[in-house]
Amino acid sequence: MSRRSDKANRGAQTSFPRFFTKQLLAFLLLAFLVVVVDFFLYAAIAYSESENNFNDGTPITTVRAVDAGLAQEDNGAYALSPEAGDVLAEQGAWALLVDDAGAAVWEKDVPADVPRSFTPADTAMAAHYGTLADRPAFFWSRDDGLLVVGFPKDTYWHMTMALPESTIRNLPLYVLLLFAVDLAIFFVAYFVSRRRTQRAVAPILGALDNLSEGRPSTLRLKGDLADVGERITEASALLEQKDAARANWIRGVSHDIRTPLSMIMGYADAVAHDERVPEDVRAQAAVIRAQGLRIADLVTDLNTASRLDYDMQPLDLERIHLARTLRSVVAAHANDGLDEAHPIELEVDDDAADAVVLGDERLVTRAVENVLANARLHNEGGCSVSVRLSACPSEKASGGGRDADASPAAAAAAEPVGSAVISVADDGAGISREDLAALEARLARSRTAASASGCAVGSPSSTATAEHGLGLVLVDRIARAHGGSIALDGAPGEGFTVEIGLPLA
């Protein structure tokens, strides 16, 4: 898995808990808000009920009004004040005064089915259950007896409750226990929800990682995310079709350009070597031939880069003897007459004479040729080019480290015990530090950019590095496809150096 995938997975592992933690905190805050709202709502309802039922007109106020308004006159009879009588009338209530012997000595609007005499047991039972003749009744003790105030049926409900003292004492603990259980339920719901969501979203994250790395993705999800899976699958298929169309278009253009370009180069070569043609025309024909070769190289680079972009370049893996390959490249350079202004020297270190790498010899050759072409292109006035092959026993050596972003094709190579470094250095015009930094940044962008150039249109670095064309970008991609890397160095007036590090087989 690439560093980008690892980073995405790490981001997912940290973002999901953070997301669900926020959701849980929001839920707890909402629950707390609900409790606060419920408390104030309860207070408001209690206040309203108190105002409506526990002030004037309530049983207790009615009983107290009757008690205050009932008095015994000098002749021994009882009389109720008009105010107290009005209170009873407003409530539809009745009143009864029972003496210590259990006989009714005074009554007001008492229904006929209410008894007028009571035994101590009758009085105790009526007071305990709060009813008398199936009517709610309230009792008030007076010096001259027991005052009973009754109300119409179904107006009040009387409840008696007896709780152990230990229950009341432990009530705060019970409240804390309920709160702890509720909190535990919240956390269990949170973890279960997070686990279920992670399992549901993990395939989607994997599919998005595949799409970001140019690999097709097919999702067959169930449940609420089924539509998301279908859309990702459709998007993957559409991107694959577009990639295939682009690759086919590039191959078609490359093929169509080669035929007329070959004719142009053939005629230019014939004119350049025709002694009957004036010298200036022969020189112009040579320029046409050189530029034609450059166009041919660019077309080849474009086609190869496109294949590498979409993992369509088949790596014909074989054991490559690098010293022999480099000699062939240098010999071809001399045979093509390209060493007149750009002489090349090849140096092979003793410890690298038998260096072998596992890779595609055609692509490795192409990478070296592109570096040589880069030296010729930026030193038209001429320069000397030195090609050196060395071996590094450690992967930490220059250019020899295995890139974690290397393509899957590099996995076919055996675990390297060291690196072979191909160094191509010229003593030409060199490159400024600013342009070198911009070029390295461009190579870094090309490893993740959708375009082969790795340079965004209109970006500040596009002008500084555009002159290097596709050549070094392609060299970097070929090296990474083989599990290697490249390193650049140079200074104004001190030449330019490219090192290609490849793992030894």
Side-chain angles (χ1 to χ4, degrees), residues 379-416:
N379 297 281
E380 295 182 355
C383 68
S384 297
V385 181
S386 173
V387 180
R388 180 187 176 189
L389 176 63
S390 59
C392 297
S394 172
E395 289 186 331
K396 296 180 180 180
S398 174
R402 178 181 289 274
D403 193 338
D405 282 337
S407 72
E415 186 66 22

XYZ file of all heavy atoms in Angstrom, residues 379-416:
243
model
N 22.351 22.154 -23.678
C 23.724 22.592 -23.947
C 23.974 22.508 -25.449
O 24.784 21.708 -25.927
C 24.733 21.715 -23.182
C 24.573 21.812 -21.682
O 25.016 22.764 -21.047
N 23.922 20.794 -21.093
N 23.253 23.334 -26.191
C 23.360 23.288 -27.646
C 24.756 23.675 -28.125
O 25.191 23.257 -29.202
C 22.319 24.217 -28.270
C 20.877 23.775 -27.995
C 19.874 24.690 -28.662
O 20.310 25.716 -29.243
O 18.662 24.396 -28.612
N 25.454 24.461 -27.325
C 26.818 24.826 -27.711
C 27.830 23.728 -27.503
O 28.984 23.857 -27.913
N 27.417 22.647 -26.872
C 28.297 21.510 -26.654
C 28.703 21.377 -25.194
O 28.742 22.352 -24.442
N 28.965 20.154 -24.796
C 29.456 19.862 -23.446
C 29.918 18.419 -23.416
O 29.617 17.634 -24.319
C 28.374 20.099 -22.399
S 27.004 18.922 -22.492
N 30.655 18.082 -22.413
C 31.070 16.695 -22.218
C 30.107 16.029 -21.248
O 29.685 16.635 -20.259
C 32.499 16.641 -21.647
O 33.417 17.193 -22.571
N 29.808 14.778 -21.543
C 28.858 14.023 -20.726
C 29.566 12.794 -20.174
O 30.239 12.072 -20.911
C 27.622 13.606 -21.535
C 26.634 12.844 -20.650
C 26.945 14.814 -22.158
N 29.420 12.599 -18.887
C 30.034 11.458 -18.222
C 28.941 10.552 -17.685
O 28.070 10.988 -16.924
C 30.936 11.930 -17.076
O 31.403 10.827 -16.330
N 29.020 9.278 -18.090
C 28.077 8.275 -17.605
C 28.850 7.319 -16.702
O 29.846 6.735 -17.125
C 27.415 7.502 -18.756
C 26.447 6.460 -18.209
C 26.706 8.445 -19.709
N 28.353 7.179 -15.467
C 29.055 6.329 -14.513
C 28.080 5.352 -13.866
O 26.961 5.719 -13.520
C 29.719 7.176 -13.425
C 30.475 6.356 -12.378
C 30.965 7.229 -11.245
N 31.592 6.448 -10.200
C 31.964 6.918 -9.023
N 31.768 8.207 -8.745
N 32.537 6.126 -8.126
N 28.538 4.101 -13.721
C 27.757 3.071 -13.045
C 28.487 2.673 -11.777
O 29.657 2.272 -11.823
C 27.561 1.845 -13.953
C 26.826 0.656 -13.315
C 25.401 1.044 -12.926
C 26.828 -0.549 -14.263
N 27.781 2.803 -10.643
C 28.372 2.432 -9.360
C 27.363 1.607 -8.582
O 26.180 1.539 -8.937
C 28.770 3.673 -8.565
O 27.646 4.502 -8.334
N 27.851 0.976 -7.548
C 26.994 0.140 -6.703
C 27.074 0.629 -5.273
O 28.149 0.986 -4.788
C 27.412 -1.324 -6.790
N 25.922 0.661 -4.628
C 25.847 1.065 -3.225
C 25.323 -0.112 -2.419
O 24.256 -0.647 -2.728
C 24.922 2.260 -3.045
S 25.500 3.746 -3.897
N 26.042 -0.522 -1.384
C 25.596 -1.683 -0.608
C 24.364 -1.407 0.237
O 23.689 -2.321 0.664
C 26.804 -1.986 0.282
C 27.521 -0.681 0.402
C 27.324 0.009 -0.912
N 24.070 -0.132 0.483
C 22.941 0.215 1.344
C 21.900 0.965 0.553
O 22.221 1.774 -0.318
C 23.419 1.078 2.524
O 22.312 1.551 3.253
N 20.617 0.732 0.875
C 19.532 1.438 0.193
C 19.506 2.906 0.547
O 18.864 3.697 -0.114
C 18.185 0.820 0.574
C 17.978 -0.540 -0.020
C 16.582 -1.041 0.266
O 16.012 -0.650 1.289
O 16.068 -1.809 -0.538
N 20.210 3.294 1.600
C 20.206 4.689 2.008
C 21.141 5.524 1.159
O 21.211 6.727 1.309
C 20.613 4.797 3.486
C 19.625 4.127 4.432
C 20.069 4.274 5.862
C 19.078 3.590 6.813
N 19.482 3.710 8.228
N 21.887 4.877 0.294
C 22.805 5.617 -0.557
C 22.037 6.458 -1.547
O 20.858 6.287 -1.780
C 23.729 4.638 -1.287
N 22.779 7.395 -2.167
C 22.157 8.336 -3.088
C 21.451 7.628 -4.210
O 22.040 6.830 -4.928
C 23.229 9.272 -3.654
O 22.676 10.091 -4.653
N 20.170 7.947 -4.361
C 19.389 7.421 -5.483
C 19.022 5.982 -5.337
O 18.389 5.447 -6.215
N 19.433 5.304 -4.255
C 19.211 3.875 -4.199
C 18.055 3.445 -3.357
O 17.799 2.259 -3.253
N 17.349 4.360 -2.689
C 16.281 3.974 -1.775
C 15.049 3.502 -2.509
O 14.686 4.031 -3.538
N 14.422 2.485 -1.923
C 13.165 2.024 -2.518
C 12.058 2.997 -2.165
O 11.812 3.278 -0.999
C 12.807 0.627 -1.992
C 11.472 0.129 -2.539
C 11.133 -1.231 -1.993
N 12.007 -2.236 -2.556
C 11.799 -2.853 -3.704
N 10.755 -2.522 -4.437
N 12.612 -3.765 -4.144
N 11.399 3.509 -3.149
C 10.320 4.485 -2.939
C 9.061 3.746 -2.514
O 8.622 2.811 -3.165
C 10.067 5.253 -4.246
C 9.206 6.469 -4.014
O 8.478 6.488 -3.005
O 9.281 7.386 -4.856
N 8.475 4.193 -1.404
C 7.253 3.545 -0.925
C 6.096 3.768 -1.864
O 5.089 3.068 -1.807
C 6.893 4.058 0.478
N 6.212 4.751 -2.774
C 5.153 5.034 -3.744
C 5.373 4.294 -5.057
O 4.718 4.564 -6.051
C 5.076 6.543 -4.036
C 4.365 7.273 -2.911
O 3.590 6.601 -2.206
O 4.594 8.478 -2.744
N 6.330 3.384 -5.105
C 6.609 2.681 -6.354
C 5.374 1.916 -6.800
O 4.541 1.494 -6.001
C 7.781 1.722 -6.164
N 5.275 1.690 -8.107
C 4.102 1.023 -8.654
C 4.075 -0.430 -8.227
O 5.076 -1.006 -7.828
C 4.129 1.109 -10.185
O 5.136 0.260 -10.679
N 2.905 -1.075 -8.300
C 2.801 -2.472 -7.903
C 3.700 -3.386 -8.713
O 4.050 -4.471 -8.239
C 1.314 -2.791 -8.146
C 0.633 -1.476 -8.048
C 1.603 -0.482 -8.607
N 4.077 -2.975 -9.938
C 4.935 -3.835 -10.744
C 6.278 -4.056 -10.088
O 6.930 -5.078 -10.304
C 5.128 -3.216 -12.133
N 6.713 -3.088 -9.272
C 8.016 -3.230 -8.622
C 8.008 -4.341 -7.597
O 9.060 -4.823 -7.178
C 8.416 -1.918 -7.958
N 6.829 -4.769 -7.161
C 6.768 -5.834 -6.168
C 7.280 -7.148 -6.710
O 7.599 -8.066 -5.952
C 5.328 -6.003 -5.676
N 7.372 -7.254 -8.041
C 7.887 -8.489 -8.626
C 9.371 -8.654 -8.403
O 9.913 -9.752 -8.516
C 7.577 -8.524 -10.127
N 10.041 -7.563 -8.110
C 11.481 -7.645 -7.886
C 11.765 -8.241 -6.527
O 11.032 -8.090 -5.574
C 12.111 -6.251 -7.981
N 12.899 -8.970 -6.421
C 13.307 -9.544 -5.150
C 13.732 -8.432 -4.207
O 14.077 -7.343 -4.631
C 14.452 -10.531 -5.382
N 13.688 -8.700 -2.918
C 14.084 -7.697 -1.945
C 15.544 -7.342 -2.181
O 16.427 -8.212 -2.133
C 13.897 -8.255 -0.535
C 14.149 -7.238 0.543
C 13.121 -6.127 0.517
O 12.023 -6.345 -0.033
O 13.426 -5.041 1.038
N 15.868 -6.073 -2.445
C 17.229 -5.721 -2.822
C 18.170 -5.745 -1.631
O 17.780 -5.509 -0.496
C 17.080 -4.302 -3.365
C 15.887 -3.759 -2.644
C 14.969 -4.921 -2.458
